[in-house]
């Protein structure tokens, strides 16, 4: 799991306390909650690393739940695993990852292992709006657009939602 999660700038899981999952996701992005299982996360912006005067949500913009739902698009489990793998690339395209052909099975296995924490009934969301579905979808080089959620130049991520927990996996790129 180190390869997949090691690429993320922010990985955090929080409890699912509300009917509206987006409220719980906003709490995770604001660092208001801790992982229910006390597993370590990843945060490249602890308070000491944030710019002076930055909000606790930095580098995320402090969105309200209804705003988050506008920018997060549902994604099925297999494309969700690919989205997690794609965070290894600075432009969020799995096809650009060095040695992807020889590593894709290993990386997808890691991604599925990470996402299994949220169970078989989990829902997944991403800020990447893939314009192609079905036979037209190429997980190595998807076609779509990003709805960035951060204050930095570009970002991409995945949200996992179960009955008990929400997970946020995110990477930011500065141009």
């Amino acid at each position: 799991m180190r390869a997949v999660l090691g690429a993320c700038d922010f990985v955090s899981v929080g409890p699912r306390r509300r009917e509206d999952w987006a409220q719980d996701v906003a709490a995770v992005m604001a660092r208001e909650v801790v992982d229910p299982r006390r597993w370590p996360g990843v945060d490249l912006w602890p308070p000491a690393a944030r710019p002076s005067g930055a909000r606790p949500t930095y580098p995320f913009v402090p969105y309200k739940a209804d705003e988050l739902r506008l920018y997060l698009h549902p994604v099925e489990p297999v494309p969700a695993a690919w989205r997690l793998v794609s965070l290894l690339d600075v432009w969020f395209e799995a096809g650009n990852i060095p040695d992807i052909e020889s590593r894709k099975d290993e990386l997808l296995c890691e991604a599925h292992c990470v996402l299994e924490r949220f169970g078989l009934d989990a829902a997944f969301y991403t800020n990447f709006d893939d314009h192609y579905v079905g036979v037209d979808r190429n997980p190595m080089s998807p076609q779509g657009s990003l709805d960035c959620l951060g204050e930095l130049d570009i970002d991409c991520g995945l949200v996992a939602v179960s009955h008990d927990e929400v997970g946020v996996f995110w990477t930011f790129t500065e141009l």
Side-chain angles (χ1 to χ4, degrees):
M1 289 188 283
R2 292 188 194 279
V4 172
L5 294 182
C8 293
D9 297 337
F10 184 85
V11 175
S12 188
V13 177
R16 175 93 187 269
R17 294 181 175 154
R18 302 167 188 94
E19 183 69 28
D20 182 359
W21 58 266
Q23 290 178 316
D24 294 318
V25 170
V28 169
M29 290 176 168
R31 299 164 177 92
E32 295 172 348
V33 295
V34 296
D35 187 315
R37 301 182 199 188
R38 304 274 185 211
W39 291 5
V42 175
D43 188 354
L44 295 187
W45 294 278
R50 294 179 203 145
S52 178
R55 295 180 285 261
T57 59
Y58 185 87
F60 293 104
V61 171
Y63 287 109
K64 294 186 182 343
D66 57 335
E67 295 169 318
L68 276 176
R69 283 191 306 280
L70 291 174
Y71 300 120
L72 293 173
H73 313 285
V75 62
E76 295 295 319
V78 171
W82 274 107
R83 179 59 37 216
L84 196 55
V85 169
S86 76
L87 299 181
L88 287 164
D89 176 59
V90 69
W91 298 110
F92 318 118
E93 283 197 33
N96 292 340
I97 297 169
D99 303 322
I100 185 62
E101 285 302 326
S102 64
R103 298 177 61 205
K104 73 179 175 184
D105 290 339
E106 168 199 348
L107 294 173
L108 275 174
C109 183
E110 282 190 25
H112 285 293
C113 183
V114 168
L115 299 180
E116 283 174 3
R117 170 180 177 161
F118 300 93
L120 297 174
D121 295 332
F124 301 101
Y125 301 88
T126 180
N127 65 323
F128 182 80
D129 186 11
D130 192 346
H131 297 306
Y132 296 101
V133 295
V135 295
D136 295 326
R137 177 176 282 147
N138 178 355
M140 298 282 274
S141 183
Q143 301 297 307
S145 59
L146 288 167
D147 291 316
C148 295
L149 300 181
E151 296 182 35
L152 302 178
D153 295 326
I154 188 170
D155 59 81
C156 189
L158 181 71
V159 168
V161 178
S162 74
H163 296 293
D164 301 320
E165 300 175 317
V166 295
V168 177
F169 307 87
W170 226 263
T171 297
F172 299 85
T173 297
E174 293 186 87
L175 303 176

